[in-house]
Amino acid sequence: MNLELGAELAAALRAASERTGKSQQALVHEAVTLHVSGNGVPGSDRERARAEGLVQPARIPYRKVVPRLLLQADTSTLELLDRDDRF
């Protein structure tokens, strides 16, 4: 299949590819899939944000966080805050 795009649409596709880090082919495939499936727009808020380039993929993989502070059983984090009770 050959696909001819006008200069403006081709430039927009290149810009979207650079912004999202996806290949132009992947973006066209995604757009055709969404159009043919009848959805038009990805379903979740996260998918829409990714499609609009508002959310970037993680730069480092998930890693388990080790707590730096262990509280005693009868202590809450709220008690550790400096509070001004004048209100």
Side-chain angles (χ1 to χ4, degrees):
M1 171 200 295
N2 291 327
L3 180 64
E4 292 185 30
L5 302 175
E8 191 174 310
L9 188 54
L13 180 59
R14 277 192 300 277
S17 176
E18 291 174 9
R19 185 179 66 247
T20 62
K22 295 181 180 179
S23 70
Q24 292 181 26
Q25 180 178 353
L27 290 174
V28 170
H29 183 270
E30 183 179 313
V32 170
T33 300
L34 290 172
H35 181 76
V36 170
S37 69
N39 291 336
V41 176
S44 72
D45 290 339
R46 181 182 300 175
E47 289 173 352
R48 281 194 296 278
R50 282 185 181 158
E52 294 174 16
L54 300 174
V55 176
Q56 299 297 319
R59 289 178 282 172
I60 57 173
Y62 172 79
R63 64 174 193 241
K64 188 171 180 168
V65 177
V66 179
R68 295 182 183 177
L69 176 66
L70 296 176
L71 301 177
Q72 295 176 357
D74 58 342
T75 305
S76 74
T77 54
L78 193 58
E79 294 168 355
L80 299 176
L81 297 174
D82 291 330
R83 299 180 58 171
D84 188 7
D85 295 327
R86 291 183 288 175
F87 297 107

